[in-house]
Amino acid sequence: MSHNKQTAEFLYLLCCYLKVNPGCLIAVSDFDKETGSKLPLGYYDDVYCYVRPEMVIPMFRAVAFPDYEADMLQILRELFAADFIKVHWILSGEVRYRPQKRIGSTRKRYITFYRRKLEPYMDKHFKKEAEDEKD
């Protein structure tokens, strides 16, 4: 996997997984309805999709690429530069790419995607793929 293409490949794999597994994200309001045997990839609300970083890379390895390695800090920087993710500025002026988010009574780290960016990206990408398959 090319270092320069890691962000595009990460986004592609994430979108493919979300498209094939529409139930992998749970509404924040339904967090308490999780089944104990199946952990969700993350949550969503009206503005954001909260993806669990500890689930993403293992999921990619299990689904398609057993040797998948990625520079997650570089990917997060590029996603931030493209305005795909929400970040937090801390007092030292640094950017915290994986802020904690309280969902329910727990506090975990999530990659917080803007739905207004992620969903159009998915729609455009998969529309193009469907047109390519017709040809």
Side-chain angles (χ1 to χ4, degrees):
M1 180 177 310
S2 166
H3 181 73
N4 295 337
K5 295 182 179 181
Q6 281 189 14
T7 303
E9 290 170 350
F10 174 85
L11 209 49
Y12 173 77
L13 289 172
L14 179 65
C15 290
C16 285
Y17 191 82
L18 292 174
K19 187 74 168 178
V20 172
N21 301 293
C24 68
L25 294 179
I26 298 174
V28 172
S29 60
D30 295 337
F31 76 91
D32 57 343
K33 297 176 185 168
E34 286 183 38
T35 60
S37 62
K38 184 179 175 186
L39 291 174
L41 181 63
Y43 301 92
Y44 68 90
D45 59 21
D46 292 339
V47 180
Y48 303 110
C49 290
Y50 308 98
V51 177
R52 293 178 170 178
E54 74 271 10
M55 300 284 289
V56 173
I57 299 299
M59 177 262 309
F60 289 167
R61 287 184 182 138
V63 171
F65 302 101
D67 299 328
Y68 184 82
E69 293 293 330
D71 181 356
M72 280 307 295
L73 189 55
Q74 179 65 28
I75 290 170
L76 291 171
R77 284 181 185 141
E78 290 179 9
L79 288 172
F80 167 61
D83 197 31
F84 270 91
I85 62 173
K86 178 182 179 182
V87 299
H88 287 264
W89 297 95
I90 54 179
L91 292 176
S92 66
E94 295 179 19
V95 174
R96 182 174 292 162
Y97 290 99
R98 290 176 17 186
Q100 290 185 341
K101 167 76 174 152
R102 184 176 299 279
I103 294 179
S105 61
T106 63
R107 204 171 197 158
K108 295 188 176 191
R109 295 191 182 271
Y110 295 92
I111 302 172
T112 306
F113 285 90
Y114 291 110
R115 286 184 70 180
R116 66 174 166 75
K117 293 287 281 194
L118 189 60
E119 289 174 349
Y121 173 86
M122 287 175 59
D123 292 343
K124 185 174 96 173
H125 177 76
F126 290 112
K127 182 179 176 184
K128 182 181 176 194
E129 244 182 39
E131 290 172 357
D132 290 345
E133 287 178 6
K134 288 180 183 176
D135 294 338

